[in-house]
């Protein structure tokens, strides 16, 4: 769905040239929730801008839906929803902006209400954007990104400036969008525990170079990072007491009706098989994510 | 064909939005100026003509401020909000050209034309023959409108190149006021007869303002055609040049 | 589309036009300049041109005119630039009142103006072009003439030309109280019958008349605001145009139009 083929992006200014991306190549297939990881200034926002066709690669090619986002601006961008990292909106009413975006996207006004309900800004539709708190501006950005039911969602720090409850809501919203609508989500964030809840694919960029990309399970296995399984059961305590005996399981956490099982990356397949046997119902078992923090540290430390 | 229709629909929607954002200030100025003009048409026709350069200046200032708004959106990043929806750069540019410059120029034309239509449409076609001019008020308005587009597109072009709004507004001010004014002053200093005519208190400023408003008119007449036609051709030519220049930049601008 | 904004503006402007018309109509007495009651300095003539009666008054009593007119800036004054060269008036609207300053007296007889002078005045008024002004050695150059400037001239002639109906009473013009029983027609007739000058003027003026300018002249008087039926009709047409534009926009996007009008009537919230 998204292909970066040897992409180099150089920003030139009077102060000199800055390599935002250097021969970056990666692919993000459709239907995944990808985490775009990397330290500050790694080139995450530049990658988003390249996907959107906002900037042209200095060298190399970017393909989104098999098209060039710079040449086929409308075709590509009309299928993408984008939440910028630091969005600056015009000083108009929330409703006016959303309605205008809906018009540009050729979406009916009713959809604006639907999205507003979804993102929790219905009460603020009549407010001027300048009077919104940062949290609500973030929700507005999300609403704008969601208008027109895009196939890809690019979210640059989606949970920044949000209170813990809102963060949870947004994360569960992203999860719902993925499961119900099959939207491909690409998230650039530093808040790894949250990303961990949704991401099943990662692209790690450091100093403009792609260090690693691919399915999270594969990478977790490769780097021996702790994997986390979620099991929904009626009596998690009983199951926990059983699992704790298995020596390849590192830890077990009990939540109200779920159980989080942590295991080393290299044992993922074996443990998955083992858990499937125990739980019986495959729908109750889910490889949620891995300890991204651990993975992050490992990847960031690579030379 | 369908994609062209879609594109036009998006442009119109964005024009609608831009106009909706900015129209209030234009409404206020237009209503005040038009009231003055309506009254002047009844009571002092020559005043209505003398006010034209002043109104023209204010509108060019407003339109330049508006035409450089996309530069502001570009530097702040607001443009991303619109482009991310699927609006292309060309559509964004076209919308600003029509919504920010052409539409507001049309509004400027209404200041004189609506009162004239109500009071007496012949006001627009009868030759003015004032200040050495030999055109009708309608023709003068057309010249002013073409110049407004010219200044607006200059603002858009310079703003796009420099990505600095203040520089763009200054460039318009330089071209519109400072350069003609200084040329006028120098000319009046070095040409005693002209100086004598010009240096008469307030008439200096009036002459200068008027000179600028009709500068394109005064400058032509070299091709041996009807001066009005010549000035229209010259202005349209420069309008097209600057529209193309700003278009060339905007269609590839990195946001 | 943005047509609703244009439509709204046009409607608002037509309202402004109506208000301006009303103000101007109310102010009519203030602008009246018909009160020239210094017979010794007034010469008058009437003539019949192309079926229309023209009544002209020439006066050197400019101070009383200025006083009655009440505007020291004299916006109606037009300039005569260079002796002997073609010269024009600003607009036909201003063709009604001419002020010509000179250092030399223009020859005139009390009660009647020398035909050559009148001829030129009328020519100026009707065709907008003066072909000969060399009878006046002093020429006003300024764009506008201040009252001070006027006093520096030895003589200032003011010509007021009315276009009137033959049945209009001279009294209605309020120019010469002693003749208030006469209709303009009488004055014209007597002028045409009794004076070789009038015929000369008539012929000369007719030669110089540009038909184009006659019609607009018919309705306009200095400071006289005629809220004619035509003006009302035009206002209605303009307002209708505005409504039509809004309607076109409404057909395309009713919600946007409703929104715009809500925005207009509702106070801005600062929430």
């Amino acid at each position: 769905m998204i292909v970066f083929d040897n992409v180099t992006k150089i920003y030139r200014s009077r102060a000199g040239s800055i390599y935002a991306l250097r021969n970056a190549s990666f692919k993000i297939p459709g239907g995944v929730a990808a985490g775009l990881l990397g330290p500050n200034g790694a080139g995450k926002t530049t990658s988003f801008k390249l996907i959107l066709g906002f900037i042209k690669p200095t060298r190399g090619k970017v393909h989104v839906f098999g098209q060039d986002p710079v040449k086929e601006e409308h075709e590509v961008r009309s299928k993408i929803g984008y939440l910028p990292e630091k969005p600056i909106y015009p000083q108009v009413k929330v409703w006016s902006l959303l309605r205008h975006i809906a018009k540009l996207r050729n979406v009916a006004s009713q959809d604006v209400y639907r999205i507003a309900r979804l993102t929790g800004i219905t009460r603020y539709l009549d407010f001027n954007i300048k009077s919104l708190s940062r949290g609500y501006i973030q929700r507005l950005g999300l609403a704008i990104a969601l208008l027109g039911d895009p196939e890809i969602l690019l979210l640059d720090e989606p949970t920044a400036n949000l209170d813990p409850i809102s963060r949870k809501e947004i994360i569960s919203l992203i999860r719902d969008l993925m499961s119900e609508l099959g939207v491909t989500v690409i998230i650039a964030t530093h808040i790894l525990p949250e990303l961990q809840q949704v991401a099943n694919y990662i692209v790690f960029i450091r100093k403009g170079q792609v260090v690693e990309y691919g399915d999270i399970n594969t990478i977790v296995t490769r780097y021996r990072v702790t994997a986390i399984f979620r099991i929904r059961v009626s009596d998690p305590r009983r199951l926990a007491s059983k699992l704790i005996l298995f020596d390849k399981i590192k830890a077990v956490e009990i939540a109200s009706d779920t159980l989080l099982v942590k295991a080393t990356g290299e044992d993922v397949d074996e443990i998955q098989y083992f858990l499937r046997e125990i739980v019986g119902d495959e729908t109750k078992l889910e490889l949620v994510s891995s300890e991204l923090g651990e993975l992050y540290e490992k990847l960031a430390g690579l030379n | 064909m369908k994609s062209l229709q879609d594109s036009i629909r998006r442009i119109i929607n964005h024009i609608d939005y831009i106009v909706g954002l900015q129209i209030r200030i234009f409404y206020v100025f237009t209503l005040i100026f038009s009231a003055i003009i309506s009254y002047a048409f009844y009571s002092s026709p020559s005043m209505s003509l003398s006010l034209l350069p002043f109104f023209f200046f204010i509108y060019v200032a407003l339109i330049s401020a508006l035409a450089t708004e996309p530069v502001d959106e570009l530097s702040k990043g607001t443009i991303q909000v619109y482009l991310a929806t699927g609006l292309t750069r060309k559509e964004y540019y076209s919308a600003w050209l029509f919504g920010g410059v052409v539409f507001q120029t049309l509004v400027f034309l209404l200041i004189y034309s609506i009162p004239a239509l109500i009071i007496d449409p012949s006001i627009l076609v009868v030759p003015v023959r004032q200040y050495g001019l030999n055109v009708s008020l309608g023709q003068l308005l057309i010249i002013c409108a073409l110049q407004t587009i010219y200044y607006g597109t200059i603002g858009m072009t310079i703003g796009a190149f420099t990505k600095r709004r203040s520089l763009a507004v200054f460039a318009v001010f330089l071209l519109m006021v400072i350069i003609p004014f200084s040329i006028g002053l120098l000319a009046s200093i070095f040409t005693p007869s002209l100086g004598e005519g010009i240096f008469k208190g307030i008439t200096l400023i009036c002459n200068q303002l008027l000179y600028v408003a009709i500068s394109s008119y005064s400058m032509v007449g070299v091709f041996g055609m009807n001066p009005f036609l010549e000035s229209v051709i010259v202005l349209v030519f420069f309008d097209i040049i600057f529209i193309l220049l700003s278009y060339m930049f905007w269609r590839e601008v990195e946001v | 589309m943005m047509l609703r904004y244009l439509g709204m503006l046009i409607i608002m402007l037509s309202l402004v036009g109506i208000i301006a018309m009303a103000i101007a109509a109310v102010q009519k007495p203030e602008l009246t300049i018909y009160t020239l009651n210094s017979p010794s300095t007034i010469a008058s003539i009437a003539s019949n041109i192309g079926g229309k009666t023209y009544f002209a008054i020439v006066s050197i009593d400019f101070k009383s005119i200025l006083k009655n007119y009440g505007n020291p800036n004299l916006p109606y004054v037009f300039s005569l630039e260079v002796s002997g060269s073609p010269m024009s008036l600003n607009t036909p609207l201003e063709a009604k009142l001419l002020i010509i300053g000179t250092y030399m007296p223009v020859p005139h007889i009390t009660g009647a103006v020398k035909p050559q002078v009148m001829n030129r005045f009328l020519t100026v008024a009707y065709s907008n072009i003066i072909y000969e002004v060399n009878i006046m050695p002093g020429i006003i150059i300024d764009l506008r003439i201040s009252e001070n400037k006027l006093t520096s001239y030895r003589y200032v002639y003011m010509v007021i030309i009315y276009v009137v109906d033959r049945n209009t009473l001279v009294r209605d013009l309020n120019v010469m109280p002693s003749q208030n029983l006469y209709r303009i027609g009488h004055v014209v007739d007597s002028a045409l019958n009794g004076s070789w000058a009038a015929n000369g003027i008539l012929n000369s003026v007719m030669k110089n008349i540009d038909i184009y300018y006659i019609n607009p002249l018919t309705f306009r008087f200095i400071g006289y605001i005629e809220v004619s039926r035509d003006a009302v009709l035009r206002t209605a047409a303009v307002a209708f145009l505005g409504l039509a534009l809004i309607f076109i926009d409404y057909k395309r996007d009713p919600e946007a139009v409703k929104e715009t009008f809500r925005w207009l009537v509702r106070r801005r919230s600062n929430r």
Side-chain angles (χ1 to χ4, degrees):
Chain A
M1 195 168 248
I2 294 170
V3 180
F4 271 53
D5 184 10
N6 258 323
V7 175
T8 300
K9 178 66 193 172
I10 306 169
Y11 289 115
R12 290 195 171 87
S13 68
R14 276 188 209 154
S17 299
I18 298 166
Y19 276 77
L21 281 182
R22 205 189 285 260
N23 298 323
S25 294
F26 64 85
K27 284 177 192 169
I28 299 177
V32 300
L36 203 57
L37 297 176
N40 288 331
K44 300 188 293 287
T45 304
T46 301
S47 303
F48 275 175
K49 285 186 173 180
L50 284 165
I51 293 171
L52 288 157
F54 283 172
I55 52 175
K56 271 197 286 190
T58 314
R59 281 191 295 275
K61 279 181 181 164
V62 178
H63 289 285
V64 182
F65 305 111
Q67 289 169 309
D68 183 341
V70 176
K71 286 182 186 154
E72 312 288 333
E73 284 183 88
H74 174 69
E75 286 72 14
V76 171
R77 287 205 292 266
S78 59
K79 291 184 231 162
I80 300 178
Y82 175 50
L83 171 69
E85 186 185 1
K86 289 178 206 154
I88 293 176
Y89 297 112
Q91 296 194 348
V92 292
K93 280 185 181 168
V94 173
W95 164 252
S96 307
L97 182 66
L98 283 176
R99 197 167 169 279
H100 176 53
I101 303 285
K103 276 185 179 177
L104 291 178
R105 287 241 189 214
N106 209 6
V107 169
S109 296
Q110 287 88 330
D111 267 33
V112 176
Y113 288 114
R114 182 175 63 84
I115 298 291
R117 263 199 305 277
L118 203 66
T119 48
I121 53 168
T122 319
R123 273 183 58 208
Y124 300 93
L125 285 177
D126 214 22
F127 279 52
N128 195 306
I129 294 176
K130 70 178 172 192
S131 66
L132 293 184
S133 68
R134 292 179 75 179
Y136 275 94
I137 285 183
Q138 196 74 0
R139 282 164 186 263
L140 169 66
L142 205 59
I144 290 171
L146 289 173
L147 266 173
D149 299 326
E151 291 175 33
I152 298 179
L153 263 182
L154 301 181
L155 309 174
D156 207 348
E157 301 288 355
T159 54
N161 308 317
L162 293 177
D163 57 73
I165 295 170
S166 308
R167 284 181 177 197
K168 247 185 181 171
E169 281 174 17
I170 298 291
I171 292 294
S172 75
L173 176 67
I174 294 169
R175 212 186 281 148
D176 290 348
L177 285 168
M178 278 178 62
S179 59
E180 286 167 24
L181 303 170
V183 179
T184 305
V185 186
I186 303 170
I187 305 170
T189 181
H190 289 105
I191 307 168
L192 297 175
E194 281 164 9
L195 185 65
Q196 199 164 297
Q197 293 177 44
V198 283
N200 52 23
Y201 196 94
I202 59 162
V203 177
F204 195 92
I205 308 174
R206 199 190 49 184
K207 291 180 186 169
Q209 285 175 314
V210 175
V211 178
E212 193 64 80
Y213 73 93
D215 182 69
I216 211 160
N217 286 350
T218 320
I219 296 174
V220 162
T221 313
R222 196 183 303 155
Y223 289 90
R224 302 179 178 188
V225 179
T226 309
I228 303 169
F229 293 92
R230 187 196 286 137
I231 306 167
R232 289 175 213 276
V233 281
S234 51
D235 189 359
R237 283 181 188 281
R238 206 158 61 91
L239 184 61
S241 59
K242 269 190 200 174
L243 293 177
I244 205 89
L245 299 172
F246 192 62
D247 57 354
K248 287 194 173 170
I249 288 175
K250 284 170 69 181
V252 177
E253 281 175 23
I254 300 168
S256 58
D257 59 343
T258 56
L259 204 60
L260 292 178
V261 180
K262 293 183 180 178
T264 317
E266 57 188 343
D267 302 323
V268 167
D269 292 339
E270 196 183 332
I271 293 192
Q272 197 160 12
Y273 179 78
F274 170 73
L275 290 176
R276 213 176 280 153
E277 289 283 298
I278 287 189
V279 179
D281 186 354
E282 206 171 305
T283 55
K284 288 180 181 171
L285 175 70
E286 187 186 0
L287 173 65
V288 186
S289 183
S290 311
E291 283 288 5
L292 283 181
E294 199 182 323
L295 179 67
Y296 189 97
E297 279 168 25
K298 283 188 175 176
L299 289 171
L302 280 180
N303 285 319
Chain B
M1 194 62 197
K2 175 94 169 51
S3 71
L4 180 70
Q5 277 178 348
D6 271 359
S7 185
I8 292 171
R9 180 188 56 76
R10 281 193 297 276
I11 293 173
I12 290 175
N13 277 332
H14 204 58
I15 293 175
D16 201 57
Y17 176 74
I18 292 165
V19 171
L21 286 185
Q22 313 287 345
I23 197 74
R24 267 177 277 197
I25 184 99
F26 281 89
Y27 271 5
V28 171
F29 277 102
T30 310
L31 289 176
I32 293 171
F33 291 167
S34 192
I36 295 169
I37 290 302
S38 299
Y39 186 72
F41 276 154
Y42 282 121
S43 59
S44 171
S46 62
M47 187 175 87
S48 67
L49 187 70
S50 310
L51 286 169
L52 178 62
F54 292 99
F55 293 167
F56 171 72
F57 263 70
I58 290 167
Y59 269 77
V60 170
L62 285 175
I63 290 170
S64 322
L66 190 52
T68 48
E69 181 80 25
V71 182
D72 208 37
E73 289 194 347
L74 186 65
S75 57
K76 282 183 183 162
T78 319
I79 186 173
Q80 291 182 12
V81 176
Y82 305 116
L83 292 196
T85 63
L87 192 73
T88 66
R89 292 168 174 82
K90 291 170 194 169
E91 288 162 1
Y92 178 82
Y93 168 77
S94 314
W96 271 103
L97 179 67
F98 286 99
V101 181
V102 178
F103 183 85
Q104 310 301 354
T105 304
L106 206 61
V107 170
F108 163 71
L109 288 179
L110 292 181
I111 304 179
Y112 274 84
S113 49
I114 295 292
L117 279 175
I118 290 173
I119 294 161
D120 186 349
S122 68
I123 291 170
L124 291 173
V125 289
V126 170
V128 189
R129 302 201 185 174
Q130 190 171 336
Y131 309 117
L133 288 172
N134 191 17
V135 283
S136 67
L137 184 60
Q139 287 173 321
L140 210 54
L141 284 174
I142 290 170
I143 289 173
C144 284
L146 286 171
Q147 281 193 86
T148 314
I149 294 174
Y150 165 73
Y151 288 122
T153 45
I154 284 180
M156 279 184 100
T157 312
I158 293 172
F161 276 124
T162 58
K163 289 200 179 181
R164 281 168 69 188
R165 188 184 194 175
S166 49
L167 215 60
V169 173
F170 175 73
V172 172
F173 192 69
L174 186 81
L175 283 169
M176 190 178 154
V177 184
I178 299 174
I179 292 178
F181 202 92
S182 357
I183 290 174
L185 273 180
L186 287 175
S188 60
I189 289 166
F190 293 112
T191 324
S193 60
L194 185 65
E196 204 178 295
I198 288 179
F199 283 110
K200 274 183 184 169
I202 193 78
T203 44
L204 172 72
I205 294 166
C206 288
N207 276 321
Q208 282 302 310
L209 289 177
L210 199 76
Y211 166 73
V212 176
I214 58 163
S215 55
S216 61
Y217 181 82
S218 321
M219 282 189 291
V220 293
V222 286
F223 304 114
M225 288 160 65
N226 171 342
F228 169 70
L229 204 64
E230 263 185 37
S231 54
V232 166
I233 291 169
V234 168
L235 281 172
V236 167
F237 175 76
F238 279 107
D239 281 351
I240 291 171
I241 293 280
F242 278 99
I243 286 172
L244 286 177
L245 264 177
S246 48
Y247 172 78
M248 273 163 59
F249 178 85
W250 278 98
R251 71 175 179 171
E252 294 198 336
V253 70
E254 296 205 331
V255 301
Chain C
M1 254 183 289
M2 54 289 164
L3 289 179
R4 63 183 178 281
Y5 295 115
L6 216 52
M8 275 160 60
L9 192 60
I10 288 173
I11 290 173
M12 286 195 264
L13 288 179
S14 56
L15 289 176
V16 168
I18 291 167
I19 294 166
M21 258 196 275
I23 292 171
V26 169
Q27 281 196 335
K28 179 181 161 186
E30 217 174 273
L31 294 167
T32 303
I33 51 155
Y34 307 146
T35 50
L36 306 176
N37 40 21
S38 176
S40 63
T41 55
I42 294 174
S44 68
I45 193 153
S47 57
N48 188 318
I49 302 161
K52 292 189 178 71
T53 305
Y54 293 83
F55 192 85
I57 297 161
V58 181
S59 170
I60 58 167
D61 189 9
F62 68 93
K63 277 186 180 166
S64 70
I65 295 176
L66 290 181
K67 195 176 149 207
N68 287 311
Y69 178 63
N71 184 348
N73 290 328
L74 277 178
Y76 292 104
V77 173
F78 75 101
S79 65
L80 297 176
E81 286 180 340
V82 184
S83 172
S85 65
M87 171 53 207
S88 66
L89 301 173
N90 296 335
T91 69
L93 275 168
E94 291 172 280
K96 298 304 168 52
L97 175 61
L98 317 179
I99 293 181
I100 298 166
T102 168
Y103 297 113
M104 298 285 286
V106 176
H108 73 279
I109 310 158
T110 305
V113 180
K114 275 265 190 181
Q116 295 90 332
V117 179
M118 195 63 228
N119 182 5
R120 285 178 183 104
F121 288 161
L122 289 175
T123 311
V124 169
Y126 298 140
S127 70
N128 258 6
I129 294 167
I130 287 179
Y131 293 103
E132 295 168 68
V133 288
N134 53 5
I135 57 156
M136 286 167 279
I139 302 299
I140 297 167
I141 293 168
D142 279 338
L143 303 178
R144 289 182 181 187
I145 309 163
S146 68
E147 198 171 355
N148 293 341
K149 187 71 176 279
L150 276 176
T151 51
S152 74
Y153 293 112
R154 192 165 164 200
Y155 292 96
V156 176
Y157 290 86
M158 182 168 273
V159 183
I160 303 163
I161 297 155
Y162 302 107
V163 184
V164 288
D165 184 89
R166 275 181 73 84
N167 292 321
T168 308
L169 284 173
V170 175
R171 183 186 57 193
D172 294 336
L173 294 175
N174 198 16
V175 284
M176 282 167 284
S178 59
Q179 289 181 317
N180 62 3
L181 294 174
Y182 290 95
R183 289 178 191 283
I184 293 295
H186 296 148
V187 182
V188 175
D189 289 342
S190 70
L192 287 175
N193 294 330
S195 167
W196 59 270
N199 277 318
I201 293 164
L202 180 62
N203 293 333
S204 177
V205 165
M206 283 183 77
K207 272 184 212 159
N208 289 309
I209 282 175
D210 182 346
I211 295 302
Y212 179 78
Y213 292 113
I214 284 200
N215 290 332
L217 274 175
T218 315
F219 300 100
R220 300 190 199 107
F221 292 81
I222 287 173
Y224 179 91
I225 303 308
E226 195 178 39
V227 186
S228 67
R229 205 175 64 176
D230 282 359
V232 174
L233 280 175
R234 279 195 298 268
T235 311
V238 167
F240 181 77
L241 173 75
L243 279 175
L245 289 176
I246 294 174
F247 184 70
I248 292 169
D249 222 10
Y250 183 80
K251 289 277 273 183
R252 195 192 70 98
D253 190 351
E255 215 175 309
V257 177
K258 282 184 204 158
E259 179 79 9
T260 309
F261 281 97
R262 265 202 294 274
W263 159 78
L264 260 185
V265 292
R266 197 197 289 163
R267 271 190 308 153
R268 286 189 69 192
S269 81
N270 286 319
R271 284 179 297 179

